């Protein structure tokens, strides 16, 4: 007769073995810890240094926007003029929005040129309608204000200026002055800017890219005139 011997089990001892077997149950093999794949840090998004895109809007101009620069008897009706609201690059190295009034037939020319100037970051100090200065050309020049339409006579003439037709523009006029045949200028701050060529922010020189940009759309530069020279002045077809 076979007897079964029961072994007592106490806490912390091995499980009892069955009679007739001296082998023990091996502990289960320890599984190697899984190596976690590190998550790469997010790629930083580079900050954009490009300026906002050039924008230009052409719209009809109301009579009340031209309280000083237009009057009955001008060679063109205000209905034949257009307001261009567009981006320009400022002297402060930042983009700004300015306004010009020109004849409706030349709006494409102006937008084409100023798109190039903006792309070059070529600086313009400010661009307001001359009405901001009550159509006073002298005051607008003193502010170095770039402007276009102004129903006035040409300097030193009894004939209408090309500005009166909306087919001329004066660019940074204080630093690109009108110079008489004797070399004089009416603005004290302009005297140091009468020689060409010269370096300077917003300065126009013979044959430079600004002159060429206007020439490509059929506008002539007053800096090429014989006698008096108008370094600020560009006009459709000259004059």
């Amino acid at each position: 007769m076979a007897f079964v011997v029961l072994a007592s089990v106490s806490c912390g001892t091995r499980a009892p073995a069955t009679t007739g077997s001296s082998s023990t149950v091996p502990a289960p093999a320890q599984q190697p810890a899984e190596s976690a794949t590190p998550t790469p840090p997010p790629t930083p998004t580079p900050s954009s240094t490009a300026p906002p895109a050039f924008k230009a809007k052409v719209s009809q101009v109301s009579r009340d926007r031209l309280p000083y620069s237009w009057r009955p008897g001008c060679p063109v009706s205000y209905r034949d003029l257009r307001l261009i609201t567009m981006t320009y690059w400022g002297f402060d190295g930042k983009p700004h929005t300015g306004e010009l009034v020109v004849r409706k037939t030349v709006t494409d020319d102006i937008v084409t040129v100023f798109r190039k100037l903006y792309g070059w970051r070529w600086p313009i100090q400010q661009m307001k309608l001359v009405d901001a200065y009550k159509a006073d050309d002298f005051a607008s020049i003193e502010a170095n204000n770039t402007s276009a339409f102004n129903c006035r006579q040409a300097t030193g003439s009894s004939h209408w200026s090309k500005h009166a037709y909306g087919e001329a523009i004066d660019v940074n006029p204080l630093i690109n002055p009108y110079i008489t045949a004797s070399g004089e200028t009416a603005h004290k701050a302009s005297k140091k800017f009468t020689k060409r060529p010269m370096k300077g922010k917003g300065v126009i020189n013979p044959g430079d890219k600004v002159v060429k940009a206007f020439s490509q759309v059929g506008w002539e530069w007053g800096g090429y005139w014989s006698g008096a020279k108008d370094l600020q002045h560009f006009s459709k077809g000259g004059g």
Side-chain angles (χ1 to χ4, degrees), residues 140-218:
S140 183
I141 290 173
E142 284 285 297
N144 204 28
N145 179 54
T146 295
S147 66
F149 173 77
N150 192 4
C151 185
R152 63 173 178 84
Q153 294 176 336
T155 302
S157 171
S158 59
H159 301 292
W160 288 117
S161 165
K162 278 277 191 172
H163 290 279
Y165 294 88
E167 296 178 342
I169 182 171
D170 291 338
V171 180
N172 291 335
L174 191 68
I175 61 177
N176 297 299
Y178 177 89
I179 308 167
T180 66
S182 61
E184 299 298 319
T185 179
H187 301 269
K188 182 178 180 180
S190 296
K191 294 185 183 299
K192 63 182 178 181
F193 294 100
T194 57
K195 303 299 181 183
R196 290 296 188 275
M198 70 176 299
K199 294 181 179 180
K201 184 184 293 186
V203 169
I204 302 168
N205 285 294
D208 71 9
K209 59 187 179 182
V210 178
V211 174
K212 290 178 180 177
F214 275 100
S215 178
Q216 287 167 0
V217 294

Side-chain angles (χ1 to χ4, degrees), residues 3-7 9 14-25:
F3 294 92
V4 177
V5 178
L6 298 178
V9 179
R14 258 193 252 173
T18 56
T19 304
S21 174
S22 61
S23 63
T24 60
V25 178

Side-chain angles (χ1 to χ4, degrees), residues 213-225:
F214 275 100
S215 178
Q216 287 167 0
V217 294
W219 289 55
E220 297 180 14
W221 182 46
Y224 288 146
W225 295 352

Side-chain angles (χ1 to χ4, degrees), residues 107-125:
T107 56
D108 287 348
D109 294 347
I110 294 299
V111 170
T112 296
V113 170
F114 279 84
R115 185 188 302 277
K116 290 180 179 179
L117 300 188
Y118 183 76
W120 296 329
R121 299 192 183 188
W122 194 85
I124 295 169
Q125 185 155 7

Side-chain angles (χ1 to χ4, degrees), residues 74-94:
C74 290
V76 295
S77 168
Y78 71 88
R79 295 183 180 87
D80 292 326
L81 301 172
R82 293 294 181 268
L83 174 68
I84 304 178
T85 305
M86 61 184 169
T87 324
Y88 68 92
W89 199 259
F91 272 28
D92 59 358
K94 298 177 182 179

Side-chain angles (χ1 to χ4, degrees), residues 38-117:
T39 303
T43 304
T45 302
S47 58
S48 175
T49 57
F54 174 82
K55 293 182 180 180
K57 177 183 178 182
V58 178
S59 56
Q60 291 185 334
V61 58
S62 60
R63 174 68 182 90
D64 60 1
R65 289 300 313 273
L66 311 172
Y68 304 102
S69 63
W70 188 91
R71 60 187 180 277
C74 290
V76 295
S77 168
Y78 71 88
R79 295 183 180 87
D80 292 326
L81 301 172
R82 293 294 181 268
L83 174 68
I84 304 178
T85 305
M86 61 184 169
T87 324
Y88 68 92
W89 199 259
F91 272 28
D92 59 358
K94 298 177 182 179
H96 298 270
T97 300
E99 294 181 320
L100 289 176
V101 169
V102 298
R103 198 166 188 169
K104 64 182 180 181
T105 53
V106 300
T107 56
D108 287 348
D109 294 347
I110 294 299
V111 170
T112 296
V113 170
F114 279 84
R115 185 188 302 277
K116 290 180 179 179
L117 300 188

